[in-house]
């Protein structure tokens, strides 16, 4: 119900009335986005790495709570707390982005998540209650992933229009959606073989070593992928000042 109402409002409030020409061969025109160093390729790879970092613990969450913490009854409530925290935090991250910039705000969210995912390998059945804090804070940090990378991607669409002469938001968000789905495929392809290699079997009486390995996989790769995304975005060139210059140049071009 809320999606129908807000979509109708958004379509009316932000009409798509601009006319634009498209390349004669859109696939050839798309190739430089991947073959040359540019802000979109930098952002897309960083987004994919961070998304894989989020998808691995999401893939292992039920196993971690049920087997590592021995509290399967907490799985549903914890997921609810996680997603509510993520949704509630979005206005906070938007406000932070307005003060320090989108890239820095997103980086702060990544660092916050990494700090609390560090606890995952060290929690067990005796410390299960502490995982509520991890769920709450990492959910709060996930709000930055929900709002800020897509907003940065929207800025890149303006950069591409200035560089290429074409406005192609459909292409950019199609590639964005593909990367988002690819992250879950990669997470499954990474997490489950490594889990099996460590001797863990779902629903079985696992050894202490295999349960410890589950804890390491839940938090370790997540931190590694997120830090890789953070490093990749360290010198991202389109900040708020640069985006303002791009918008001004587009307005001047439109005005002749």
């Amino acid at each position: 119900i809320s999606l129908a109402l807000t979509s109708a409002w958004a379509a009316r409030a932000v009409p798509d009335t601009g006319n634009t020409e498209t390349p004669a061969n859109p696939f050839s025109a798309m190739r430089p986005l991947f073959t040359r160093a540019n802000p979109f390729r930098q952002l897309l790879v960083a987004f994919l790495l961070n998304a894989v970092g989020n998808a691995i613990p999401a893939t292992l969450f039920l196993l971690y709570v049920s087997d590592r913490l021995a509290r399967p009854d907490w799985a549903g409530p914890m997921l609810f707390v996680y997603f509510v925290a993520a949704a509630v935090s979005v206005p906070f991250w938007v406000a932070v982005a307005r003060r320090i910039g989108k890239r820095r705000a997103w980086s702060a969210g990544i660092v916050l998540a990494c700090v609390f995912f560090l606890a995952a390998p060290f929690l067990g059945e005796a410390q299960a209650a502490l995982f509520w804090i991890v769920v709450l804070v990492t959910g709060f940090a996930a709000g930055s992933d929900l709002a800020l990378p897509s907003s940065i991607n929207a800025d890149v669409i303006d950069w591409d229009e200035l560089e290429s002469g074409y406005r192609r938001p459909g292409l950019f968000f199609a590639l964005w959606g593909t990367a988002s789905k690819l992250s879950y495929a990669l997470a499954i392809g990474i997490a489950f073989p490594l889990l099996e290699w460590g001797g863990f079997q779902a629903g079985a009486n696992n050894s202490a070593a295999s349960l410890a390995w589950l804890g390491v996989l839940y938090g370790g790769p997540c931190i590694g992928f997120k830090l890789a995304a953070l490093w990749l975005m360290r010198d991202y060139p389109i900040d708020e000042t640069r985006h303002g210059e791009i918008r001004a140049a587009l307005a001047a071009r439109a005005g002749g």
Side-chain angles (χ1 to χ4, degrees):
I1 294 174
S2 64
L3 179 62
L5 294 175
T6 53
S7 297
W9 171 80
R12 182 179 179 85
V14 191
D16 184 12
T17 57
N19 296 319
T20 183
E21 295 182 1
T22 56
N25 189 331
F27 292 101
S28 297
M30 178 180 67
R31 191 176 301 118
L33 293 174
F34 296 97
T35 58
R36 301 174 187 171
N38 61 78
F40 177 69
R41 189 176 72 174
Q42 183 179 357
L43 174 64
L44 186 68
V45 175
F47 170 75
L48 177 61
L49 291 171
N50 184 70
V52 173
N54 288 331
I56 289 178
T59 301
L60 298 177
F61 178 82
L62 293 178
L63 296 176
Y64 182 85
V65 175
S66 299
D67 293 79
R68 172 75 176 174
L69 303 182
R71 293 307 304 255
D73 54 313
W74 285 2
M78 281 182 167
L79 283 174
F80 181 78
V81 168
Y82 178 88
F83 286 116
V84 168
V88 168
S89 72
V90 168
F92 168 82
W93 291 113
V94 171
V96 172
R98 286 174 177 159
R99 289 184 63 88
I100 66 174
K102 298 175 185 178
R103 182 193 65 82
R104 289 180 178 178
W106 185 29
S107 299
I110 290 174
V111 171
L112 179 63
C114 288
V115 168
F116 279 82
F117 270 116
L118 278 172
F122 304 101
L123 299 180
E125 188 173 348
Q127 302 86 21
L130 294 177
F131 190 63
W132 284 99
I133 301 174
V134 176
V135 169
L136 180 63
V137 178
T138 56
F140 190 88
S144 67
D145 295 326
L146 291 175
L148 301 179
S150 295
S151 183
I152 299 172
N153 187 33
D155 296 344
V156 177
I157 294 170
D158 291 331
W159 164 84
D160 177 65
E161 182 180 6
L162 186 63
E163 292 290 319
S164 69
Y166 300 112
R167 187 162 186 85
R168 18 184 204 178
L171 169 65
F172 278 74
F173 279 97
L175 294 171
W176 198 256
T178 300
S180 180
K181 293 173 175 60
L182 178 61
S183 67
Y184 280 95
L186 290 174
I188 292 171
I190 294 169
F192 285 165
L194 287 176
L195 200 59
E196 185 177 13
W197 179 78
F200 180 87
Q201 291 186 353
N205 187 18
N206 292 284
S207 65
S210 62
L211 291 175
W213 180 239
L214 172 61
V216 170
L217 282 182
Y218 185 83
C222 166
I223 295 172
F225 279 105
K226 281 181 166 290
L227 290 180
L230 188 68
W231 180 84
L232 192 61
M233 288 293 289
R234 71 195 185 283
D235 58 351
Y236 185 72
I238 303 179
D239 58 9
E240 280 63 27
T241 300
R242 176 58 184 147
H243 184 235
E245 295 170 353
I246 291 171
R247 296 275 294 182
L250 289 173
R253 177 190 292 175

